[in-house]
C-alpha cells in the first residue's frame, strides 16, 4: 500500500487540484506497478502559516511529502521481473538495479508533481519508507502476495476480498 502524506501551506491546493493530483499518484501505482487502486491512500495536511520550519526559519512556501510503501518494495520489483522478458524502452526490467528503479520512480513522481508544486513555485521535499509487509492488514485481511492471482482479483474488484 502506498500511503502518501502531503504537508502543504493552507490553501495551496483546491479540491480539484487534490483530485487531479491523487489521480496522477494513483496512476503511478495502478498503471506502472499493477496495484489495486484502493491500495493508494493520500492524505493532505494543510498547515497554517508559520507551522513548517526548515533550518530554523518559517517555510511558508514549502511542501513536504512522506510516502510509506508496503505492497511493493524495490527488491520485490526486481525479484518479480528477474528471469522475465518484461521490457520497457528496450531494457529488461529484471536487469535494473535498485538505484535505477528508485530513480525511475522519483522521475514518475516528479512528473505528477510538476504542475502542482514546481510550476507554482513551491519548494518541496519527498522521502519514501519501505515498511515490512507482515506489519500490514487491510480490513483485517492479510493482503495477497504481489502479482498473484488473488492480488489481481483485488485489483479487478478494487476492494479486499477474502481469499484463504
Amino acid at each position: 500500500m502506498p500511503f502518501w502524506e502531503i504537508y502543504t501551506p493552507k490553501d495551496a491546493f483546491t479540491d480539484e487540484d487534490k483530485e487531479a493530483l491523487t489521480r496522477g499518484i494513483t496512476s503511478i501505482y495502478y498503471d506502472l506497478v499493477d496495484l489495486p487502486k484502493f491500495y493508494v491512500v493520500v492524505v493532505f495536511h494543510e498547515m497554517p502559516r508559520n507551522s513548517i520550519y526548515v533550518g530554523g526559519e518559517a517555510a511558508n512556501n514549502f511542501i513536504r511529502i512522506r510516502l510509506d510503501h508496503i505492497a511493493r518494495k524495490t527488491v520485490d520489483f526486481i525479484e518479480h521481473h528477474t528471469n522475465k522478458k518484461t521490457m520497457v524502452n528496450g531494457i529488461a526490467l529484471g536487469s535494473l538495479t535498485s538505484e535505477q528503479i528508485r530513480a525511475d520512480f522519483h522521475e514518475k513522481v516528479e512528473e505528477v508533481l510538476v504542475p502542482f508544486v514546481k510550476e507554482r513555485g513551491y519548494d518541496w521535499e519527498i522521502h519514501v519508507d519501505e515498511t515490512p509487509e507482515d506489519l500490514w492488514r487491510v480490513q483485517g485481511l492479510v493482503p495477497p502476495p504481489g502479482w498473484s492471482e488473488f492480488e489481481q482479483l483485488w485489483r479487478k474488484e478494487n476492494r479486499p476480498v477474502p481469499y484463504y
Side-chain angles (χ1 to χ4, degrees), residues 3 18 35 42 65 79 82 113 116 120 137 147 157:
F3 178 69
K18 291 175 187 176
L35 288 178
V42 180
I65 303 170
E79 287 174 4
T82 298
L113 293 177
F116 302 98
R120 295 181 184 184
R137 298 292 182 271
W147 294 285
E157 295 287 325

Side-chain angles (χ1 to χ4, degrees), residues 101-134:
I101 290 170
R102 288 175 174 155
D104 184 61
F105 171 75
H106 278 284
E107 285 178 29
K108 302 285 189 259
V109 167
E110 295 295 327
E111 288 173 18
V112 169
L113 293 177
V114 161
F116 302 98
V117 178
K118 185 176 182 178
E119 289 179 359
R120 295 181 184 184
Y122 289 107
D123 294 331
W124 75 97
E125 183 177 328
I126 183 170
H127 89 273
V128 181
D129 284 327
E130 293 188 337
T131 301
E133 237 177 290
D134 62 342

Side-chain angles (χ1 to χ4, degrees), residues 47-103:
M47 307 302 292
R49 194 164 167 69
N50 297 333
S51 292
I52 299 176
Y53 285 74
V54 176
E57 297 181 17
N60 293 309
N61 194 42
F62 183 75
I63 294 177
R64 181 66 168 86
I65 303 170
R66 178 178 188 262
L67 284 78
D68 286 315
H69 281 173
I70 306 171
R72 295 281 191 277
K73 291 180 252 348
T74 307
V75 68
D76 299 332
F77 193 81
I78 291 169
E79 287 174 4
H80 175 72
H81 289 291
T82 298
N83 301 322
K84 292 187 187 314
K85 306 237 189 271
T86 309
M87 304 288 283
V88 173
N89 297 328
I91 299 171
L93 292 180
S95 68
L96 296 176
T97 66
S98 59
E99 291 81 12
Q100 290 169 314
I101 290 170
R102 288 175 174 155

